[in-house]
Amino acid sequence: APFGMLSRLASLRAFARPASSLRRGLRKYQRLPAIKASSILTIAREEDKKAIAKSKKGEGLTTSPIPVALAAAAAAPIVTGPAASVLSVLGPAFYFYLQTSGISTCNKIKKEGTTGVLSPAQFVSLYTNGAVWVLYGYLAQDMTVLIPNSTAVLFGLYYTSVFARHTDESMMKWYLGSSAILAGTAYAATLPNALDVVGTTGCVMAVILLSSPLAVMGKVIKDKSTAALPFGPSIAGFLNASAWTAYGSLVAMDTYIWAPNGLGMAACAVQLSLFAIYGFPKAAAQPAKEPVEEAAPEAEEKPDEKPKA
C-alpha cells in the first residue's frame, strides 16, 4: 500500500457520521493510487484495532475506520498492470483521433465551397466541451485531462471557423449557446463545490459532443441517406467513448469518466447503425460528356489545272 495511505485513512475517521462526509470521502478515494484488496483488509484490521484500543483508554474515539476501508475497496481498480496501462493510453489516443476526424470533412467543405446539409453541432461542441474539461483539469490539477482537451479547443475553433466561412445559415445561435455554457462554467469554478459542478457540466458536454452527429438523424431517416452524417467522426466517437468507458469503469473507477462516455458510446452506436441500414452515400454522378464529332478534314484546294491540249 502507498505510504500515505494510513494517514489518509486516519484523516477520514469522521466517515461514519454525516452522509455528506461519506460522499466526500468516496470522491477522494476515487483518486487514490491502485492498491490491492488484501492490503485494504490489512489496513482495516490495523486501524480498527487502534480505534478499539483508543476507545478503551477513554480517548473519546467512538467511530471505526472500517467504512473508510470499504470506501477504498470500492474505489480500487478492477484492472491493473499492463492492461491498465493500455487502457490509460487508448483513451487519449482515440480522443485525439476524434479531434482530427473533422479534417477530411473541412477539406471537403473548402473544396466544394459549401457546407451542404452538414450541421455545425459537432464542431461547436468540440471546442465547448474541450474548454469545460480544460477548466476541470486545472481545478483538479490533472494534466492528463487538461492537455488533450487543450488541443480539442484548437481543433474545434478551426473547424467552426471553416464551417462559418462556407455556410449560408447564421451561426449566431451556436455562438450564443456556447458562450452561455462557458460563462456558466467559469462562474461555477468560483463556487465551493466547483470541481463537482464543472465535472457534471463536462459530463453533459461530453454526451452532447459524442451525440452531435445525431442532430441530422431526422433528415437521414427522411431521405434514407447518410449523406448528412459524417462517417469519420461517428466511428472516431464510438472508439473514443468505448476506450474511456473501459478506462473509467475498470481502472479509474470514476463515474465522471465512464457514465457520460457510456451514454456517448450508445449514441455513436445508433449513428453507426444508420450506416448499416442506409449504407454509405453514393458519390454524385458526373454528367456524361457528349462525344465530340471530329470534323472531316477539309479538302485541300488544288490549283486549277489547265486542260491538256
Side-chain angles (χ1 to χ4, degrees), residues 85-99 148 239-245 247:
S85 300
V86 171
L87 290 176
S88 301
V89 173
L90 283 180
F94 280 131
Y95 187 36
F96 186 75
Y97 172 49
L98 174 63
Q99 295 173 28
L239 294 174
N240 173 72
S242 300
W244 283 109
T245 300
Y247 173 78

Side-chain angles (χ1 to χ4, degrees), residues 220-278:
V220 170
I221 296 176
K222 181 181 178 181
D223 297 344
K224 296 183 178 180
S225 170
T226 55
L229 189 63
F231 178 74
S234 297
I235 188 65
F238 180 78
L239 294 174
N240 173 72
S242 300
W244 283 109
T245 300
Y247 173 78
S249 59
L250 300 177
V251 180
M253 308 298 289
D254 192 340
T255 307
Y256 282 157
I257 296 177
W258 66 258
N261 282 286
L263 294 174
M265 183 174 63
C268 291
V270 173
Q271 298 167 33
L272 295 177
S273 69
L274 295 176
F275 286 96
I277 295 172
Y278 300 113

Side-chain angles (χ1 to χ4, degrees), residues 82-163:
S85 300
V86 171
L87 290 176
S88 301
V89 173
L90 283 180
F94 280 131
Y95 187 36
F96 186 75
Y97 172 49
L98 174 63
Q99 295 173 28
T100 58
S101 63
I103 294 178
S104 59
T105 303
C106 284
N107 289 339
K108 182 181 178 181
I109 290 175
K110 290 190 290 186
K111 181 179 179 180
E112 296 179 354
T114 178
T115 57
V117 293
L118 295 176
S119 169
Q122 57 182 328
F123 300 145
V124 176
S125 61
L126 179 59
Y127 78 76
T128 307
N129 172 78
V132 171
W133 283 106
V134 164
L135 182 57
Y136 180 86
Y138 173 76
L139 294 174
Q141 297 183 355
D142 189 344
M143 300 302 291
T144 304
V145 174
L146 194 152
I147 294 176
N149 283 285
S150 299
T151 59
V153 173
L154 298 177
F155 277 111
L157 289 174
Y158 169 70
Y159 297 153
T160 302
S161 66
V162 171
F163 191 97

